[in-house]
Amino acid sequence: MTIIVTGGAGFIGSNFIFHMMEAHPDYRIICIDKLTYAGNLSTLAPLMNSSRFRFVKEDICNREAVYDLFQQEHPDIVVNFAAESHVDRSIENPEIFLQTNIIGTSVLMDACRKYGITRYHQVSTDEVYGDLPLDRPDLFFTEETPIHTSSPYSSSKAAADLLAMAYRRTYELPVTISRCSNNYGPYHFPEKLIPLMIINALNGKPLPVYGEGLNVRDWLYVEDHCKAIDLVIHNGRVGEVYNIGGHNEMKNIDIVRLICQELDRLGKTDNAERLITHVTDRKGHDMRYAIDPTKIHSELGWLPETKFADGIKKTIRWYLENEEWWDNIIRGEYQTYYERMYGNR
Ligand code: NAD
Ligand code: DAU
């Protein structure tokens, strides 16, 4: 079995490759990644000498290169993680989001049609459903919830989902889609809430909470997401969407406080909560995400294994033990981004 994983030098893609290499010792994995600011080859360094792994630095929008690769490797399965993934960057500049997230997806699916595959899996997001009100805790996103996007990021992901469904219906491409809630865990890029707060607290920098910090996200440990995708690509029904989430809703401010308390407890910070700074809210900021995972549980038997209380401790420990990984990032181009995003906020 040969699997092409796109975006495998990023957060979830790299965790997925590690999971698949271990869970399926007879599979060959080919990672295509453009190595944008969010891609980090050092993450995949432990796999570089494996005969079951190949890394290809390429843009999924490059049709000729993608076709060449399919011709050489004849993959059985393609799992598409490659994307521009940060909402704030999409608000600053939508264009690259449309390019990678929409055009890139269509190029990959065209290659699948041309060379033949058994499964194309599109890694999507719960953000395609828009948001839920804070005063209706009884409401959840199901696979039937209408698509109703808020940001250029979520709109580009929704467009990709619609294209995937169109390729299924028009060309009978064997497609599945998964829509997951917010992930956290090792190798999460420092621009995102949890790693940003851990790293800023360790460096004694302000902890920028957007608005009141009352927005709710439904957090899932990244390994649980990877296991869910493994199940969907092998046992999921073609043409179906599967929502992935672990019923773990938390307000942003509570997450930030919890990180501060854990770092204080470990003796890494001293009253880190004093660094919390409320800053101008994100434009069009979604209030609440909450996934109903009934379908993937009842059809495929998936349940999350890591409780948030354990997962967040493991994650904080990982950032403490892997300072070199994130320090290299925050010393680079990230500084310019950080200044632009938070300088005058
Ligand atoms: P990430 O930003 O950490 O990684 C994205 C990776 O894609 C990077 O390695 C980058 O170099 C690569 N990439 C970007 N453009 C490319 C292109 N044109 N060609 C080839 N490679 C390219 O993202 P992530 O958080 O790991 O998210 C992965 C996928 O999961 C995305 O599709 C995202 O929409 C989806 N998702 C993320 C979350 C989350 O909480 N992070 C939740 C649900 C769904
Ligand atoms: O729900 C799935 C989505 O989760 C994925 O599709 C996206 O790729 C992923 O980036 C994530 O999107 P969010 O916008 O929810 O994640 P982010 O970490 O950027 O922000 C989480 C919440 O924290 C959000 O309400 C905004 C807030 N926030 C974020 C940052 C970076 C802050 O308050 N301060 C910050 O500095």
Side-chain angles (χ1 to χ4, degrees), residues 138-203:
D138 55 313
L139 296 181
F140 296 92
F141 297 139
T142 73
E143 290 79 2
E144 275 69 51
T145 301
I147 287 188
H148 187 78
T149 57
S150 312
S151 70
Y153 162 70
S154 55
S155 306
S156 67
K157 293 295 290 183
D161 284 13
L162 294 175
L163 263 183
M165 285 313 203
Y167 274 58
R168 160 77 190 136
R169 176 157 174 167
T170 309
Y171 308 117
E172 297 184 356
L173 194 70
V175 164
T176 40
I177 296 175
S178 54
R179 294 179 179 149
C180 191
S181 59
N182 285 62
N183 285 214
Y184 69 101
Y187 304 109
H188 205 179
F189 194 82
E191 68 191 347
K192 306 284 169 58
L193 180 78
I194 289 181
L196 186 143
M197 296 299 166
I198 298 172
I199 292 169
N200 278 18
L202 288 173
N203 288 334

Side-chain angles (χ1 to χ4, degrees), residues 184-238:
Y184 69 101
Y187 304 109
H188 205 179
F189 194 82
E191 68 191 347
K192 306 284 169 58
L193 180 78
I194 289 181
L196 186 143
M197 296 299 166
I198 298 172
I199 292 169
N200 278 18
L202 288 173
N203 288 334
K205 290 176 70 173
L207 306 179
V209 172
Y210 297 168
E212 295 297 305
L214 300 178
N215 306 63
V216 169
R217 296 292 182 266
D218 184 359
W219 295 94
L220 183 72
Y221 194 62
V222 63
E223 212 170 278
D224 282 322
H225 184 189
C226 296
K227 286 179 181 167
I229 294 176
D230 187 358
L231 278 175
V232 172
I233 60 179
H234 289 103
N235 305 330
R237 285 181 297 137
V238 165

Side-chain angles (χ1 to χ4, degrees), residues 85 125-127 153 182 193 208 210 217 252 282 285 342:
S85 68
T125 167
D126 60 357
E127 295 201 17
Y153 162 70
N182 285 62
L193 180 78
Y210 297 168
R217 296 292 182 266
N252 294 339
R282 175 184 278 174
H285 198 172
Y342 297 95

Side-chain angles (χ1 to χ4, degrees), residues 6-13 32-40 58-61 80-86 100-101 123-126 153 157 179-184 187-189 191-192 219 225:
T6 72
F11 166 43
I12 310 176
I32 311 181
D33 198 296
K34 184 182 170 184
L35 295 181
T36 67
Y37 78 91
N40 196 334
E58 194 49 79
D59 186 339
I60 57 164
C61 301
N80 181 24
F81 290 92
E84 288 294 332
S85 68
H86 193 35
T100 289
N101 300 0
V123 180
S124 185
T125 167
D126 60 357
Y153 162 70
K157 293 295 290 183
R179 294 179 179 149
C180 191
S181 59
N182 285 62
N183 285 214
Y184 69 101
Y187 304 109
H188 205 179
F189 194 82
E191 68 191 347
K192 306 284 169 58
W219 295 94
H225 184 189

Side-chain angles (χ1 to χ4, degrees), residues 44-153:
L44 297 172
L47 301 178
M48 286 303 177
N49 289 328
S50 166
S51 56
R52 297 195 289 118
F53 180 72
R54 178 179 172 197
F55 179 81
V56 179
K57 180 180 182 307
E58 194 49 79
D59 186 339
I60 57 164
C61 301
N62 184 343
R63 188 174 292 274
E64 211 182 310
V66 169
Y67 283 13
D68 279 353
L69 189 70
F70 273 64
Q71 191 164 30
Q72 284 167 33
E73 297 287 355
H74 289 288
D76 300 286
I77 299 177
V78 175
V79 185
N80 181 24
F81 290 92
E84 288 294 332
S85 68
H86 193 35
V87 173
D88 292 322
R89 290 190 191 246
S90 83
I91 294 167
E92 254 195 329
N93 185 8
E95 192 174 346
I96 185 68
F97 284 74
L98 311 186
Q99 193 60 33
T100 289
N101 300 0
I102 307 175
I103 304 297
T105 299
S106 74
V107 168
L108 286 171
M109 291 193 299
D110 284 340
C112 290
R113 286 171 57 211
K114 189 170 159 76
Y115 295 97
I117 37 93
T118 58
R119 180 66 62 90
Y120 172 85
H121 184 73
Q122 178 67 11
V123 180
S124 185
T125 167
D126 60 357
E127 295 201 17
V128 301
Y129 299 122
D131 63 352
L132 297 164
L134 288 181
D135 60 355
R136 289 293 308 274
D138 55 313
L139 296 181
F140 296 92
F141 297 139
T142 73
E143 290 79 2
E144 275 69 51
T145 301
I147 287 188
H148 187 78
T149 57
S150 312
S151 70
Y153 162 70

